[in-house]
Amino acid sequence: MNNRLYGNLIFELSREGRKGYSLPKNNYGDYDIPASIQRKEEPQLPECDELTVVRHYTNLSNNNFGVDTGFYPLGSCTMKYNPKINEEMAALPPFQNLHPLQPAETAKGAWAMVNLLEQSLCALTGLAHFTFKPFAGAHGELTGLMTIDNYHRSRNDLQRKKVIVPDSAHGTNPASAAVCGLEILEVRSTSEGLVDLADLERLVEQEGENIAAMMMTNPNTLGLFETQIPAIAKLVHDCGGLMYYDGANLNPMLGACRPGDMGFDVMHINLHKTFSTPHGGGGPGAGPVGVREGLQECFPFVSPYLGNFGVLMRAFAFILSLGREHVKEVGPLATLNANYIKESLKDVYELPIDGLCCHEFVFDGLKDKRTGVTTMDVAKRLLDYDYHAPTIYFPLLFHESLMIEPTENESKETLDGFIAVMRKIAEEAMTDPDLVKSAPHNTPIGRVDDVLAAKHPVVTFRQMRNEE
Ligand SMILES: *Cc1c(COP(=O)(O)O)cnc(C)c1O
């Protein structure tokens, strides 16, 4: 791209014999290392000077997009600002230097923190106990479903192997159920985007004694509040099943209402979404699982130690800095921001389900479909204007889904800037559709072949060389 050696791999910058280190003089003499534990070949390491290494990684990090660099309205993933005090707390040496195998009596502070975090989550969710072992939301779902499976087994109710999942559910829900060895029964959504109670009644009637659980998200994946939860919970409980709450995106609920009060028995929370600890690129996360009194006896063994302790620290710092009083503002502000964007754009983007949304909502592409400009094109064009794209082509209920979640932290100026750019793109789609269809134009790499990248990922240097 320019003289900044952008995008090269560190291996390509390697020059034989070049060094970025100097070892101290050997004052200890030479020792023979047994041949059996010696390398047979030289390690394949890049050889670079220090400044080249510094520039390489600094430039790479500048290519990255994060919440700290710009607006990141990724629906269903809550890319929320992580206040820097969270990092300070997680980096405190007495916590950071803990070893998982040190005697418990020497790590009482860590245990106290986890206990206090558990109390906070119980207060926020209305459940009685939490386990902090799961490393992510999907891992939490699996842990929660295994808990439910253990519960039915403990009662010798062995035929309960079916899980009801709404058709709007996050993909991890049916996937976790399948990994847990359970079968999925899909319940339909109404045209308003909520669980179809009549369809649920039919399922419960047909499959009653086989139902292990129903998994739900509320607000659901369309950002809509499910108003029929008491009736749904009653149907499921009456046939002997348990209610599972996918609390990955708890944001609009914080301080507003509690899954435990709504009739849910088991849930997971993504601390790396609602409780601000950073995520992306696959980790690290924490998906603690909460249960109603008694069900903690059924927790499975899913990992040793205390899960991702640093993530727990960040979440706890976030909760403490908000406090009981301000935690209540999170949901309403996130909801206000989402509705503000939705109302400001619905004349140019197709809003399939109108009305008040919660913390996120879904457009079905541009309103004017004649130009052939797709959701993918809009998302790519946003990159040119320095915005991260929203979630696209999810949920699967619409062809051109564009799912926007601003979170509570963004200023009105930021939201207005995003709205202006979204309107500008809609205008470009009319006046110069090819400009949008060929975007992005200002990023280090243009439009990549998603299918090729997914089907034939080249993830190591060596592999790339072999294929040449
Ligand atoms: C993100 C998300 C998950 C999965 O969480 P991971 O930490 O990515 O495994 C599950 N359900 C919903 C609704 C989500 O948004």
Side-chain angles (χ1 to χ4, degrees), residues 76-77 136-138 141 170 172-173 217 246 248-249 268 270 272-273:
S76 183
C77 278
E141 288 173 29
H170 193 270
T172 49
N173 290 185
T217 308
D246 177 340
N249 304 292
H268 79 272
N270 280 23
H272 49 291
K273 290 181 182 168

Side-chain angles (χ1 to χ4, degrees), residues 121-139:
L121 295 184
C122 289
L124 285 165
T125 59
L127 292 172
H129 299 274
F130 271 84
T131 170
F132 290 93
K133 290 173 180 291
F135 289 114
H139 196 198

Side-chain angles (χ1 to χ4, degrees), residues 222-375:
L222 296 170
L224 302 172
F225 193 83
E226 296 276 357
T227 49
Q228 306 257 37
I229 297 284
I232 293 171
K234 183 165 189 330
L235 274 174
V236 173
H237 284 149
D238 283 354
C239 79
L242 295 184
M243 289 292 287
Y244 183 92
Y245 182 87
D246 177 340
N249 304 292
L250 203 61
N251 227 23
M253 304 280 275
L254 274 194
C257 43
R258 310 192 306 169
D261 299 339
M262 293 182 189
F264 288 95
D265 307 290
V266 182
M267 74 178 290
H268 79 272
I269 299 177
N270 280 23
L271 295 185
H272 49 291
K273 290 181 182 168
T274 302
F275 294 95
S276 89
T277 74
H279 58 110
V289 170
V291 293
R292 213 174 263 302
E293 186 58 48
L295 281 173
Q296 74 275 16
E297 316 285 336
C298 301
F299 279 144
F301 180 86
V302 291
S303 71
Y305 317 124
L306 274 177
N308 268 332
F309 187 78
V311 173
L312 309 186
M313 279 297 294
R314 289 175 179 87
F316 187 54
F318 178 70
I319 292 173
L320 278 192
S321 34
L322 285 177
R324 203 183 289 268
E325 187 185 336
H326 296 293
V327 88
K328 292 198 175 100
E329 292 166 18
V330 171
L333 283 178
T335 299
L336 179 66
N337 286 353
N339 280 286
Y340 181 66
I341 297 180
K342 169 172 67 66
E343 292 302 311
S344 305
L345 290 174
K346 71 177 187 185
D347 59 323
V348 280
Y349 290 87
E350 182 71 41
L351 183 65
I353 298 174
D354 206 352
L356 210 60
C357 67
C358 290
H359 61 313
E360 61 192 0
F361 64 92
V362 184
F363 282 135
D364 189 8
L366 280 158
K367 200 151 199 163
D368 192 328
K369 303 262 191 275
R370 286 170 305 178
T371 59
V373 171
T374 63
T375 279

Side-chain angles (χ1 to χ4, degrees), residues 144-448:
L145 289 167
M146 287 167 79
T147 305
I148 290 171
D149 197 39
N150 287 344
Y151 164 78
H152 292 308
R153 282 171 200 257
S154 75
R155 294 158 45 94
N156 220 15
D157 213 351
L158 302 177
Q159 82 292 346
R160 291 194 182 271
K161 294 287 179 194
K162 298 194 179 177
V163 177
I164 303 172
V165 179
D167 58 7
S168 66
H170 193 270
T172 49
N173 290 185
S176 302
V179 171
C180 193
L182 303 169
E183 206 181 300
I184 290 109
L185 298 171
E186 197 173 271
V187 61
R188 275 199 300 267
S189 300
T190 62
S191 54
E192 287 86 47
L194 302 178
V195 167
D196 184 335
L197 215 56
D199 197 40
L200 181 64
E201 271 166 14
R202 176 187 64 82
L203 281 177
V204 166
E205 201 157 300
Q206 284 171 5
E207 296 279 358
E209 73 269 19
N210 300 322
I211 288 171
M214 171 156 182
M215 297 182 87
M216 282 190 76
T217 308
N218 198 21
N220 67 23
T221 317
L222 296 170
L224 302 172
F225 193 83
E226 296 276 357
T227 49
Q228 306 257 37
I229 297 284
I232 293 171
K234 183 165 189 330
L235 274 174
V236 173
H237 284 149
D238 283 354
C239 79
L242 295 184
M243 289 292 287
Y244 183 92
Y245 182 87
D246 177 340
N249 304 292
L250 203 61
N251 227 23
M253 304 280 275
L254 274 194
C257 43
R258 310 192 306 169
D261 299 339
M262 293 182 189
F264 288 95
D265 307 290
V266 182
M267 74 178 290
H268 79 272
I269 299 177
N270 280 23
L271 295 185
H272 49 291
K273 290 181 182 168
T274 302
F275 294 95
S276 89
T277 74
H279 58 110
V289 170
V291 293
R292 213 174 263 302
E293 186 58 48
L295 281 173
Q296 74 275 16
E297 316 285 336
C298 301
F299 279 144
F301 180 86
V302 291
S303 71
Y305 317 124
L306 274 177
N308 268 332
F309 187 78
V311 173
L312 309 186
M313 279 297 294
R314 289 175 179 87
F316 187 54
F318 178 70
I319 292 173
L320 278 192
S321 34
L322 285 177
R324 203 183 289 268
E325 187 185 336
H326 296 293
V327 88
K328 292 198 175 100
E329 292 166 18
V330 171
L333 283 178
T335 299
L336 179 66
N337 286 353
N339 280 286
Y340 181 66
I341 297 180
K342 169 172 67 66
E343 292 302 311
S344 305
L345 290 174
K346 71 177 187 185
D347 59 323
V348 280
Y349 290 87
E350 182 71 41
L351 183 65
I353 298 174
D354 206 352
L356 210 60
C357 67
C358 290
H359 61 313
E360 61 192 0
F361 64 92
V362 184
F363 282 135
D364 189 8
L366 280 158
K367 200 151 199 163
D368 192 328
K369 303 262 191 275
R370 286 170 305 178
T371 59
V373 171
T374 63
T375 279
M376 176 67 86
D377 303 329
V378 172
K380 296 289 186 192
R381 187 67 180 140
L382 271 171
L383 307 182
D384 282 336
Y385 291 108
D386 256 346
Y387 289 94
H388 196 281
T391 295
I392 57 171
Y393 298 107
F394 177 82
L396 305 175
L397 294 178
F398 313 111
H399 286 298
E400 293 289 330
S401 287
L402 188 74
M403 187 182 201
I404 296 175
E405 177 181 359
T407 83
E408 72 278 14
N409 301 121
E410 302 296 343
S411 68
K412 177 157 184 301
E413 291 71 28
T414 301
L415 302 184
D416 285 339
F418 176 72
I419 290 163
V421 160
M422 287 289 281
R423 299 192 73 86
K424 179 145 193 247
I425 295 172
E427 199 185 301
E428 288 173 351
M430 312 280 283
T431 55
D432 191 0
D434 286 338
L435 177 72
V436 186
K437 286 183 197 175
S438 54
H441 305 283
N442 305 337
T443 51
I445 298 175
R447 201 174 286 213
V448 293

